[in-house]
Amino acid sequence: MAKAKFIEPDLDFIHEISSAEMQKCYQCSTCTVVCPISPEVNPFPRKEMIWAQWGLKDRLLADPDVWLCHNCNDCSVNCPRGANPGDLLATLRNYFYTKNAWPAFLGKAVNTPSMLPFIIAIPAVLILLLAAINGTLTPLFPLEDGHIRYGAMFPGMTLIDPLFVSATLFVIMSFSISISKLWSGMNNMTPRVPNKGMPLVQAIIATIQEILTHSRFDECGQAKTRSSAHKALVFSFIALAIVTGVVAGLEWLDILFDINLVSSGHHVTPLPFLSIIGGPLKLLANAGALLLIYGVYTAIMNRKNDPEGETFGKQTYQDWFLLYTILTIALTGLGSELLRLVNIAPIAYSVYFIHLIAVFMLIAYLPFSKFAHIVYRTTAIIHSKHVGRYEMTAEDVKGKEAIML
Amino acid sequence: MSEPKSILVIGGGISGMTAALEAAEAGKSVALIEKSPYIGGRVARINQYFPKFCPPVCGMEINLKRIKSNPNITIYTLAEVDSISGSAGNYDVSVTVNPRYVNSKCTLCGKCSEVCTAEIDDDFNLGMCKTKAAYLPHKMAYPRLYVLDPSIIGTDDAQKCKEACKYDAVDLDMKPEKVTINAAAIIVATGWQPFDASKVDYYNFDKNDNIITNVMMERLNAEDGPTQGKILRPSDGKEPASVAFVQCAGSRDENYQGYCSGVCCAATIKQIHYVREQYPDAEITVFYIDIRTPGRLEDLYLKAQEDEKVTFQKGKAVNIDGTSNGNLLIEAEDTLTGVKSKKEVEMVVLATGMVPNLAETGLPGGGATFDKYGFIVPDGEGIYGAGVAKRPVDVAVCTKDSTGTALKAIQCLVRG
């Protein structure tokens, strides 16, 4: 007789992630077969459905498949019971953001609608405090030679950079805790198959390729429009990250070594359009902003046009928090540029202030918002390539105990 | 009204025949209306019953004999209900009887069929083959009369049939007739039709001839079927070396048919016998979610499990794709091992369920309550569902149910 196995259900966990729909699952496994991106061995999401019904929290929190899922929703659309496996996996991902990230109180705050004012207030107060320390709050809405310069009120080196660099360090610390936990859990759950996985570096390169081309995402049946919106968002973020990085570098060069590569004036920004470095950067920044608006608008409309979640899955606070944060960044970013040009100081500085708040919320709350998927999913894809998850066949698990039960 | 009130039975399948007979043999006047040209319905097309593997022909023969010898039953074939008015104890049912174009002088000589050139889909054989447009629906068809398909009326073919008949049985001037039946009670035994498997995209049923349904399998194994009882795969007539049965094809699925028809599991095990009898070496795979063989039917399942040529794989078969040699690749996850794979077989049988015939139309004139799937909900007096019109059940349950329903109708008639 096979060795008895003890199942230890976590009843609180069931309560936290369960839905009436999920409990309808009768394990027919239509979902794993209709899913275009589910692997051959131990495919998802059928096993996740029974693990969730049984409250097997440890397995689900170490399960790479929760992240290999791209939420295309083919499983839910075809589910004979309306058990919505796609929604369960989205719920589990939300669980990572809400309950599994360090420190836990921020996970709760970012994911609780009633605490939204509080988490907006954190960056607002921090920015104003830093500005006060810098002495740039008086006079309010300063003009230099009659012109707006955002750095005059929110200086880069002494306000923006310290704020965002420390936020980034905090995010790295938070992720280093959760990712090391996830990685060892995934290794345990899906051990490397000899001769099938890629070396780690190669897996990382292949993952970056997969993300840039959306090759896996494009296989999803229900999610064609989601994939194109997502592509726009990815490339706009890359463009805007390049602009931000280069501008920060230029500013530090200017401040530390007094080398201004873009203008003869005293400051790097606003970038002069008619300069060899400034022109292309400005073009890239504006193109990125427009692409960002297109991407986030499409993503929002996809959700708006599907209020019941029949095509794209159930809508959650996490979805809307991320989408509206990005929308705010896009609109206030472009708005800041336009308002500076029309030179209405109080409104322009206020809009820029909101822009800074929204960017802070995107970066500093990354481990607790849906935006964390860029780290978790990337890690899971790297892991899947490293262990040879998609290359595994029945032969590789022959004779081994099925991990399903 | 001088005539004694009667009981109206709508539907001449096994349930309708049983209800009509039980009431008639209790001395009540019964009108039985049937929309096709013959009575016997779905059961007439079944090759064998489970669990005993006996042919329905025997029972059908006995029932026909009882009907023929009972003067209390009036049968209207090619007849459909237009409207129902009145209430329990006193209904007026308006019925249209469509022309058969063959009268009672027919001797079944078959001359009309011989001369007729036009062919139509053989409805009795589920369209798997053709039949002449002047035809006897099947060997045991009752009434024992040929039929002319309306599509040839007005053509030379019809004229040829008329000229070929030396008994003057072909009457091309027949017109639809309106009949009003006064009934104290109405038994709705309208039965079912097989679920249309082409509604499920991922089976590709309408793209591959070698994917058939369980009801088609009955005809493939029947001597009067399209292959004279040989199980041959439709695309090339090959004797299949491997057959897969796909359970719950469209059933227990809220996207298609939300309920379990209750008979497909036992029917599949019966059809495994069909295959094993003809091809002892054929490999058989059954893809299932749960096998539902309640009561004594469990023995059938246990026996099939012992058969080393039969594999029961847990996990629903989903994607079915054709290969260039006419074979089929069935994709499913074996949920006991957690491995998703594709299995190549030479023929696939989809175990489709039963869809109540009134699901879309309801009862003309109303008077019956239906559940969300189109089965009649037993409530109120006067109009009673019987057999599969009421719920998906096997033949044995249909006959018992119809007997009980006949009693309800008789009570309604006696109360007046």
Side-chain angles (χ1 to χ4, degrees):
Chain A
M1 202 183 115
K3 213 171 74 184
K5 199 158 193 172
F6 287 98
I7 300 291
E8 290 173 29
D10 183 326
L11 301 180
D12 292 333
F13 181 69
I14 296 177
H15 185 70
E16 282 166 330
I17 58 158
S18 186
S19 66
E21 289 80 31
M22 183 194 98
Q23 298 294 350
K24 289 186 200 163
C25 170
Y26 63 10
Q27 292 287 301
C28 70
S29 201
T30 301
C31 49
T32 56
V33 186
V34 295
C35 176
I37 62 172
S38 185
E40 187 180 319
V41 172
N42 299 325
F44 59 86
R46 180 193 61 79
K47 66 180 189 301
E48 284 74 16
M49 292 300 280
I50 197 161
W51 291 352
Q53 286 177 336
W54 288 1
L56 304 183
K57 179 179 173 180
D58 293 345
R59 292 187 194 202
L60 287 166
L61 293 188
D63 181 12
D65 297 1
V66 170
W67 299 101
L68 292 184
C69 163
H70 284 47
N71 202 21
C72 67
N73 222 29
D74 287 12
C75 54
S76 296
V77 169
N78 286 292
C79 176
R81 302 278 290 171
N84 296 338
D87 285 348
L88 171 76
L89 295 189
T91 302
L92 289 168
R93 290 189 291 268
N94 285 344
Y95 186 92
F96 268 81
Y97 316 140
T98 312
K99 295 273 169 76
N100 203 44
W102 177 89
F105 78 92
L106 264 179
K108 192 178 175 197
V110 172
N111 292 290
T112 308
S114 62
M115 293 178 88
L116 184 61
F118 170 68
I119 62 158
I120 293 174
I122 293 176
V125 169
L126 280 176
I127 292 165
L128 290 177
L129 198 68
L130 282 169
I133 293 168
N134 272 295
T136 50
L137 281 185
T138 47
L140 210 53
F141 316 129
L143 291 176
E144 287 179 356
D145 307 331
H147 291 288
I148 294 168
R149 190 179 64 84
Y150 291 122
M153 189 165 163
F154 306 106
M157 189 178 168
T158 48
L159 189 156
I160 291 177
D161 290 351
L163 184 66
F164 285 99
V165 168
S166 45
T168 306
L169 290 174
F170 163 74
V171 166
I172 291 170
M173 192 157 75
S174 174
F175 270 126
S176 63
I177 295 169
S178 51
I179 291 299
S180 64
K181 206 160 61 176
L182 178 65
W183 187 269
S184 62
M186 290 193 302
N187 277 336
N188 208 9
M189 179 88 78
T190 316
R192 189 151 193 241
V193 182
N195 307 324
K196 291 221 167 157
M198 298 175 182
L200 197 55
V201 176
Q202 204 185 329
I204 292 170
I205 293 168
T207 301
I208 292 169
Q209 275 172 349
E210 180 183 312
I211 292 170
L212 290 180
T213 56
H214 281 58
S215 55
R216 188 87 67 190
F217 204 166
D218 279 338
E219 287 177 42
C220 288
Q222 285 287 323
K224 294 293 174 219
T225 49
R226 284 188 60 235
S227 173
S228 56
H230 194 266
K231 263 180 221 162
L233 287 169
V234 168
F235 285 109
S236 65
F237 274 116
I238 290 171
L240 295 169
I242 290 170
V243 173
T244 310
V246 172
V247 169
L250 291 171
E251 288 202 325
W252 282 91
L253 211 57
D254 181 33
I255 290 159
L256 294 179
F257 306 105
D258 205 21
I259 304 169
N260 191 335
L261 290 176
V262 287
S263 76
S264 51
H266 191 56
H267 299 286
V268 170
T269 56
L271 288 170
F273 194 65
L274 295 170
S275 81
I276 293 165
I277 298 175
L281 268 180
K282 224 170 174 62
L283 270 179
L284 188 61
N286 280 288
L290 291 175
L291 199 58
L292 188 65
I293 289 174
Y294 163 76
V296 75
Y297 175 78
T298 311
I300 288 173
M301 290 321 286
N302 279 344
R303 294 270 181 188
K304 288 266 186 215
N305 292 332
D306 181 35
E308 300 300 318
E310 281 160 8
T311 309
F312 298 110
K314 194 174 71 188
Q315 301 178 357
T316 62
Y317 178 67
Q318 284 80 0
D319 299 319
W320 291 114
F321 179 87
L322 180 61
L323 287 173
Y324 282 127
T325 304
I326 294 173
L327 182 69
T328 308
I329 290 171
L331 294 179
T332 54
L334 208 58
S336 297
E337 185 186 23
L338 296 173
L339 288 163
R340 179 177 56 76
L341 293 174
V342 293
N343 213 21
I344 311 169
I347 303 177
Y349 280 108
S350 304
V351 168
Y352 184 68
F353 178 54
I354 297 170
H355 182 66
L356 289 179
I357 292 172
V359 174
F360 182 92
M361 286 169 66
L362 189 72
I363 292 172
Y365 301 153
L366 206 158
F368 321 101
S369 78
K370 191 184 171 183
F371 207 32
H373 77 268
I374 67 169
V375 176
Y376 286 120
R377 183 167 285 126
T378 306
T379 307
I381 296 173
I382 292 170
H383 184 266
S384 74
K385 292 186 190 300
H386 181 53
V387 299
R389 180 91 172 86
Y390 278 92
E391 287 73 34
M392 278 168 79
T393 62
E395 289 299 310
D396 297 316
V397 287
K398 209 168 194 173
K400 288 185 191 161
E401 198 177 350
I403 67 163
M404 320 308 292
L405 293 174
Chain B
M1 187 98 11
S2 54
E3 271 180 75
K5 261 185 229 162
S6 58
I7 291 167
L8 172 66
V9 179
I10 307 173
I14 191 68
S15 297
M17 287 167 76
T18 305
L21 272 170
E22 298 290 0
E25 289 176 358
K28 305 303 172 193
S29 168
V30 177
L32 175 65
I33 69 166
E34 164 58 44
K35 73 175 173 203
S36 69
Y38 61 96
I39 59 173
R42 294 282 160 196
V43 167
R45 302 176 202 186
I46 292 175
N47 180 55
Q48 284 178 359
Y49 282 139
F50 59 75
K52 290 186 182 168
F53 305 112
C54 56
V57 182
C58 318
M60 200 56 96
E61 207 171 7
I62 295 167
N63 276 336
L64 287 177
K65 210 167 177 183
R66 284 163 77 193
I67 284 176
K68 277 184 235 174
S69 61
N70 197 313
N72 291 337
I73 302 180
T74 313
I75 296 176
Y76 301 89
T77 49
L78 292 161
E80 287 183 80
V81 173
D82 296 322
S83 64
I84 299 171
S85 59
S87 57
N90 190 14
Y91 291 104
D92 280 319
V93 182
S94 167
V95 174
T96 297
V97 183
N98 291 304
R100 175 182 281 269
Y101 303 109
V102 175
N103 60 33
S104 55
K105 292 178 194 162
C106 177
T107 63
L108 305 181
C109 73
K111 280 279 181 294
C112 56
S113 193
E114 277 173 32
V115 299
C116 179
T117 54
E119 290 195 326
I120 54 169
D121 281 343
D122 184 354
D123 181 58
F124 182 76
N125 279 311
L126 306 158
M128 296 168 82
C129 54
K130 298 275 181 189
T131 183
K132 289 284 185 68
Y135 64 106
L136 183 67
H138 66 102
K139 271 197 317 200
M140 277 185 62
Y142 182 86
R144 306 291 293 156
L145 299 171
Y146 270 64
V147 199
L148 260 56
D149 192 74
S151 64
I152 62 162
I153 301 306
T155 68
D156 287 349
D157 262 323
Q159 209 53 45
K160 275 192 267 176
C161 292
K162 187 176 167 61
E163 284 158 16
C165 182
K166 54 185 175 186
Y167 304 101
D168 206 17
V170 174
D171 178 357
L172 298 178
D173 298 323
M174 280 187 180
K175 295 277 176 283
E177 281 174 43
K178 293 270 181 198
V179 181
T180 302
I181 297 166
N182 183 242
I186 299 171
I187 294 173
V188 182
T190 42
W192 58 281
Q193 52 188 293
F195 170 74
D196 176 7
S198 63
K199 286 182 179 171
V200 187
D201 284 345
Y202 49 67
Y203 290 145
N204 292 313
F205 172 66
D206 43 5
K207 296 192 191 96
N208 285 294
D209 290 342
N210 295 336
I211 305 174
I212 63 167
T213 63
N214 46 6
V215 282
M216 291 163 83
M217 187 65 164
E218 291 297 321
R219 298 315 304 150
L220 275 190
N221 206 51
E223 266 176 45
D224 57 344
T227 55
Q228 290 75 49
K230 277 294 269 182
I231 299 171
L232 302 171
R233 68 177 195 177
S235 76
D236 52 10
K238 185 179 186 298
E239 299 182 351
S242 54
V243 180
F245 290 88
V246 171
Q247 298 308 109
C248 297
S251 295
R252 301 172 71 195
D253 187 331
E254 62 170 34
N255 301 309
Y256 307 104
Q257 226 189 335
Y259 53 91
C260 167
S261 283
V263 299
C264 322
C265 285
T268 286
I269 294 170
K270 175 186 70 175
Q271 294 184 345
I272 288 173
H273 277 254
Y274 293 173
V275 178
R276 301 288 280 113
E277 276 196 344
Q278 295 194 20
Y279 309 116
D281 295 325
E283 296 283 346
I284 297 165
T285 314
V286 182
F287 294 91
Y288 70 100
I289 304 172
D290 319 281
I291 294 289
R292 292 183 165 177
T293 45
R296 287 186 300 173
L297 296 176
E298 187 72 3
D299 293 340
L300 268 186
Y301 178 35
L302 292 175
K303 221 165 171 184
Q305 279 181 311
E306 285 168 11
D307 189 332
E308 58 182 20
K309 289 279 179 192
V310 181
T311 308
F312 286 90
Q313 181 174 320
K314 190 166 169 66
K316 188 171 152 174
V318 178
N319 297 328
I320 305 177
D321 289 305
T323 66
S324 54
N325 57 0
N327 289 355
L328 299 146
L329 287 172
I330 307 180
E331 192 175 12
E333 184 200 352
D334 182 338
T335 62
L336 299 182
T337 62
V339 175
K340 182 165 77 166
S341 63
K342 289 183 180 173
K343 171 124 191 140
E344 186 168 348
V345 295
E346 297 195 345
M347 195 168 149
V348 172
V349 183
L350 300 176
T352 52
M354 299 189 278
V355 181
N357 272 323
L358 296 186
E360 277 177 19
T361 56
L363 191 61
T369 313
F370 293 89
D371 68 14
K372 64 176 174 176
Y373 303 122
F375 293 107
I376 292 175
V377 177
D379 67 346
E381 292 293 312
I383 297 178
Y384 309 100
V388 179
K390 192 159 65 185
R391 60 197 169 101
V393 285
D394 62 21
V395 179
V397 176
C398 278
T399 55
K400 291 183 190 107
D401 182 55
S402 301
T403 303
T405 309
L407 179 62
K408 297 289 280 183
I410 292 169
Q411 289 168 341
C412 189
L413 177 73
V414 171
R415 276 196 300 268

